[in-house]
């Protein structure tokens, strides 16, 4: 099998992240992909950490055995009201179990592939990328913070860090700064929003608004804009032209493959065992079909032409 070096980008999606596990396994084991770097936000940050440590079997087993209580602690509605009104908590539920899950599975193990996760501060409003070359406690906290969905779970620390997907669902810009040979993006949402029954409580409204609609739209716009600019750069390149950024540096064409679900994956917080298995299996099927359609050789530009720099500014 010919090795195919690429950068992997994993989006958010809660329990739908099981889709990424199936897709990534097929890409790596059946088509020879080797990740030079891995970027992730939200649940993609959790998957990024273990994949970058090459803990493939442990990550798969984690997902096959994961339970709702391994991720967050639910409360009755009276307790939710008490937490919000009296204790002044900033989230419906408590996701500290997720922190323990991350520590249990990731701490004390080396990163064999560079890993990068994104988080957002509700204080500054800024997105921040944290890399695995940071001290282990800092990086592990960043993984937890990146996977913390605001409103549903309480923002973390004095900077109120939450899900990096609020501003950067697919951290393509982060990945492009490292001049990758090729990018593979694995989102957890279909191109079109899934139709559901009307929300019955405020939690349903929060989940639907934040995860299913807002974050999905950011994801679609992110990938759509990258693809559009990437195509323009390639067209200019094929015509013997070089497009440049405002700072004078040329853009570079970067092959990109998006492995996305072909059918709705269900509730973001559905951790039922059968649903997880179905999502993993769907990821395997979609990845296999997508790469077979494209062929196993990555697209390349003519070596006789100058290669412009990528279409997304740093």
């Amino acid at each position: 099998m010919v090795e195919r070096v690429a950068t992997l980008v994993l989006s958010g999606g809660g329990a739908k992240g099981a889709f990424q596990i199936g897709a990534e396994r097929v890409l790596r084991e059946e088509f020879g992909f080797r990740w030079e770097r891995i970027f992730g936000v939200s649940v993609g940050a959790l998957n990024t950490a273990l994949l970058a440590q090459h803990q493939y079997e442990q990550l798969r087993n984690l997902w096959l055995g994961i339970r709702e209580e391994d991720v967050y602690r639910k409360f009755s509605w009276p307790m939710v009201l008490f937490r919000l009104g009296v204790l002044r908590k900033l989230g419906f539920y408590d996701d500290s179990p997720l922190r323990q899950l991350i520590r249990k599975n990731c701490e004390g193990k080396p990163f064999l592939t560079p890993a990068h996760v994104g988080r957002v501060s509700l204080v500054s409003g800024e997105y921040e990328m944290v890399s695995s070359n940071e001290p282990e406690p800092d990086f592990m906290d960043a993984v937890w913070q990146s996977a913390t969905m605001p409103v549903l779970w309480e923002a973390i620390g004095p900077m109120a860090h939450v899900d990096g997907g609020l501003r950067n669902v697919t951290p393509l810009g982060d990945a492009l700064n490292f001049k990758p040979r090729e990018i593979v993006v694995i989102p957890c949402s279909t191109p079109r929003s899934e139709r559901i029954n009307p929300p019955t409580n405020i939690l349903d409204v929060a989940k639907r608004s934040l995860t299913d609609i807002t974050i999905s739209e950011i994801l679609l716009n992110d990938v759509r804009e990258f693809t559009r600019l990437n195509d323009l750069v390639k067209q200019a390149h094929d015509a013997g032209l070089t497009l440049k950024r405002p700072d004078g540096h040329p853009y570079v064409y970067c092959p990109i493959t998006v492995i996305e679900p072909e059918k709705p994956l269900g509730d973001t917080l559905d951790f039922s065992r059968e649903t997880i298995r179905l999502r993993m299996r769907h990821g395997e099927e979609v990845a296999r079909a997508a790469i077979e359609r494209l062929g196993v050789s990555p697209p390349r530009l003519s070596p006789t032409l100058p290669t412009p720099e990528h279409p997304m500014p740093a």
Side-chain angles (χ1 to χ4, degrees):
M1 186 190 312
V2 177
E3 185 177 73
R4 183 166 173 172
V5 178
T7 289
L8 179 63
V9 176
L10 302 175
S11 78
K16 301 177 187 179
F19 173 84
Q20 295 173 339
I21 304 308
E24 189 278 337
R25 185 196 68 78
V26 165
L27 295 175
R28 177 172 40 80
E29 292 185 1
E30 298 183 17
F31 292 95
F33 277 85
R34 179 176 67 80
W35 313 120
E36 56 184 347
R37 290 185 183 273
I38 308 177
F39 296 80
V41 293
S42 194
V43 71
L46 170 63
N47 289 339
T48 289
L50 275 86
L51 287 174
Q53 293 175 334
H54 295 191
Q55 294 196 79
Y56 307 124
E57 193 62 28
Q58 182 167 343
L59 179 58
R60 178 178 172 82
N61 291 336
L62 186 157
W63 275 100
L64 289 174
I66 199 166
R67 303 167 300 168
E68 184 179 70
E69 54 265 37
D70 295 327
V71 180
Y72 67 104
R73 186 177 296 112
K74 294 181 71 172
F75 303 104
S76 65
W77 279 111
M79 178 56 72
V80 169
L81 295 176
F82 177 76
R83 283 168 51 83
L84 298 178
V86 178
L87 301 181
R88 301 295 183 185
K89 296 293 186 180
L90 301 179
F92 290 108
Y93 299 145
D94 171 24
D95 77 331
S96 58
L98 177 60
R99 187 182 197 184
Q100 299 306 315
L101 183 75
I102 293 167
R103 285 178 167 176
K104 176 183 176 182
N105 287 276
C106 300
E107 281 189 347
K109 302 178 179 70
F111 286 90
L112 304 177
T113 298
H116 311 268
V117 301
R119 63 188 178 188
V120 167
S121 167
L122 296 183
V123 175
S124 68
E126 296 298 320
Y127 171 87
E128 178 187 13
M129 183 185 74
V130 182
S131 300
S132 56
N133 58 8
E134 297 291 330
E136 183 182 77
D138 295 341
F139 183 72
M140 293 304 166
D141 278 350
V143 174
W144 176 41
Q145 292 157 356
S146 182
T148 295
M149 291 183 283
V151 181
L152 301 181
W153 301 327
E154 189 170 15
I156 301 167
M159 294 300 291
H161 283 116
V162 295
D163 190 340
L166 278 184
R167 292 199 59 173
N168 206 1
V169 178
T170 52
L172 282 168
D174 292 341
L176 288 164
N177 289 335
F178 291 88
K179 295 182 171 59
R181 310 183 201 188
E182 178 182 2
I183 291 178
V184 175
V185 181
I186 309 181
C188 299
S189 302
T190 58
R192 294 183 179 180
S193 294
E194 177 184 356
R195 186 179 180 88
I196 65 170
N197 294 325
T200 58
N201 56 59
I202 190 65
L203 178 60
D204 288 343
V205 172
K207 284 196 300 180
R208 181 63 169 167
S209 301
L210 286 170
T211 61
D212 293 340
I213 296 177
T214 301
I215 290 181
S216 292
E217 186 61 24
I218 296 172
L219 163 66
L220 291 174
N221 288 338
D222 197 11
V223 175
R224 188 184 299 124
E225 182 68 5
F226 172 85
T227 303
R228 183 182 71 83
L229 292 173
N230 210 30
D231 288 344
L232 290 175
V233 171
K234 188 174 188 305
Q235 290 176 36
H237 178 275
D238 291 343
L241 303 174
T242 298
L243 299 183
K244 295 184 178 181
R245 299 184 297 188
D247 63 7
H249 288 87
Y251 289 116
V252 160
Y253 170 78
C254 181
I256 181 171
T257 301
V258 181
I259 309 293
E260 61 191 0
E262 295 180 347
K263 60 185 179 183
L265 296 182
D267 192 329
T268 302
L269 296 181
D270 182 358
F271 289 93
S272 63
R273 187 157 300 183
E274 183 57 30
T275 300
I276 294 296
R277 288 181 178 275
L278 289 173
R279 289 167 176 164
M280 292 174 67
R281 191 175 306 127
H282 186 53
E284 294 171 352
E285 294 167 351
V286 171
R288 195 173 289 119
I291 300 302
E292 287 176 349
R293 283 196 301 267
L294 294 173
V296 296
S297 297
R300 299 183 184 278
L301 298 176
S302 169
T304 62
L305 297 176
T307 303
E309 290 226 351
H310 59 65
M312 298 289 282

